[in-house]
Amino acid sequence: MMKLLRKQMLLCSILFLVFTLSACSAIGQTDENNLTYSATSAEKTVSVVRGTITPTVSTQTTIVPAVPFIISSPENGIFNTAVELEEKITAGQIIGTVNGKELKSPVDGTITSIAPSNESVPSNYPVAIVHYTGFALNVEADNFLSTLPEYAELKAKFQVYDGVGPTDMIAVVSPAADENAFTGIVPQEGILQCLISQTVDVKSGQSATVVITATTRNDVLILPLSVIAGRQGTGLVTVITPNGERVETKVTLGVTDGANIEILSGLEEGDVVSATPPNLDPRGI
């Protein structure tokens, strides 16, 4: 009788232990599922804010001899020259006027082409070509330029790989596509030529990083670049509504500083946007 009682007590103990372990495992599994669910449902977001942004483009390129660059008319009008062909000029010297507005050379150089005086010229017409004897860095900046107004003030710095810098460039200009004749002269499309001072010790073929900036814009709507699908003029973001709905939204894009981008339309200050752009699956992030 005692043996039977011991067997029953042992069986009860085993059953109780099995039940306890099963219950603990079930609780643990439930907690684990909740944690997974929380991790996937707690989506990272950012808010549209107002702030300042400095239009910026940067690239790595190679130092080369500078090519002649263009000075263009800022508006429609009558051009009157103040210099002669092959004349040597200095930085800041007046080359001519359009409707009385002075056109100045940004650097020392030589006039290799000049439009006739009393000539009627359209806006953006190349009225002069200047040759600068020195080195330069050329930057493909088509997208950057498309977001800026005409004649935006540009500044640049460069850093030679394992060499001099960071150093200010003396001018950012539009290189001429053809230096041999004035007729039909046009800028090299989408290219900016950053001129290096003759006092800086560099040579052709050296690798360098160049950063070009335009005037800072204030009180504009801003989002991080990383949350937007698309870069050239328009893009898509995922707006998270107050009730949690996800809405894919088209936005018009402005200037960028490489980290953030200006939002011209499609969003308002305070809108909440998914940190994952629409072209990526947030479950894979």
Side-chain angles (χ1 to χ4, degrees):
M1 185 72 179
M2 289 296 293
K3 288 182 179 181
L4 180 60
L5 182 61
R6 288 196 190 96
K7 287 181 179 180
Q8 290 176 340
M9 291 179 64
L10 180 60
L11 179 61
C12 288
S13 298
I14 292 172
L15 289 174
F16 177 76
L17 180 60
V18 170
F19 175 79
T20 301
L21 290 174
S22 299
C24 290
S25 176
I27 293 171
Q29 186 65 44
T30 301
D31 289 343
E32 196 173 89
N33 289 341
N34 285 342
L35 287 172
T36 303
Y37 176 77
S38 298
T40 56
S41 63
E43 183 175 1
K44 292 181 179 180
T45 61
V46 295
S47 296
V48 181
V49 298
R50 286 195 173 274
T52 61
I53 189 166
T54 301
T56 304
V57 63
S58 64
T59 190
Q60 186 171 355
T61 184
T62 303
I63 294 175
V64 295
V67 300
F69 63 89
I70 289 172
I71 293 179
S72 300
S73 171
E75 60 185 51
N76 297 342
I78 303 299
F79 173 71
N80 284 293
T81 182
V83 295
E84 296 180 356
L85 189 64
E86 301 301 327
E87 181 177 339
K88 292 191 178 298
I89 57 174
T90 57
Q93 183 174 335
I94 298 172
I95 290 174
T97 60
V98 175
N99 296 340
K101 293 185 177 179
E102 296 177 343
L103 306 180
K104 299 179 180 180
S105 174
V107 294
D108 296 350
T110 302
I111 299 294
T112 60
S113 285
I114 190 74
S117 273
N118 298 316
E119 187 84 359
S120 177
V121 296
S123 177
N124 300 313
Y125 187 79
V127 294
I129 298 178
V130 179
H131 174 75
Y132 170 71
T133 304
F135 292 107
L137 291 162
N138 293 322
V139 176
E140 293 185 7
D142 196 32
N143 293 336
F144 175 68
L145 290 171
S146 68
T147 65
L148 301 177
E150 292 284 351
Y151 303 103
E153 183 181 355
L154 301 177
K155 297 180 180 180
K157 287 180 178 289
F158 75 103
Q159 170 72 59
V160 175
Y161 178 72
D162 202 21
V164 300
T167 306
D168 289 331
M169 319 292 290
I170 56 174
V172 181
V173 297
S174 296
D178 180 3
E179 63 179 284
N180 297 318
F182 185 83
T183 304
I185 286 294
V186 293
Q188 293 185 33
E189 289 296 327
I191 302 295
L192 291 174
Q193 182 172 230
C194 304
L195 303 179
I196 300 172
S197 170
Q198 293 176 336
T199 63
V200 180
D201 186 16
V202 296
K203 60 183 178 181
S204 288
Q206 286 183 302
S207 295
T209 298
V210 57
V211 179
I212 304 174
T213 58
T215 303
T216 297
R217 297 193 183 188
N218 299 306
D219 194 31
V220 297
L221 296 178
I222 296 172
L223 272 178
L225 268 173
S226 59
V227 309
I228 299 170
R231 293 290 183 272
Q232 298 181 14
T234 60
L236 293 174
V237 297
T238 302
V239 174
I240 310 298
T241 65
N243 62 5
E245 184 183 1
R246 297 168 58 86
V247 181
E248 195 169 284
T249 303
K250 185 176 181 180
V251 293
T252 305
L253 305 174
V255 301
T256 178
D257 61 5
N260 298 303
I261 194 164
E262 178 186 16
I263 306 298
L264 298 176
S265 68
L267 296 171
E268 296 181 357
E269 184 179 4
D271 283 347
V272 177
V273 173
S274 171
T276 303
N279 58 328
L280 295 178
D281 185 349
R283 291 171 299 180
I285 302 301

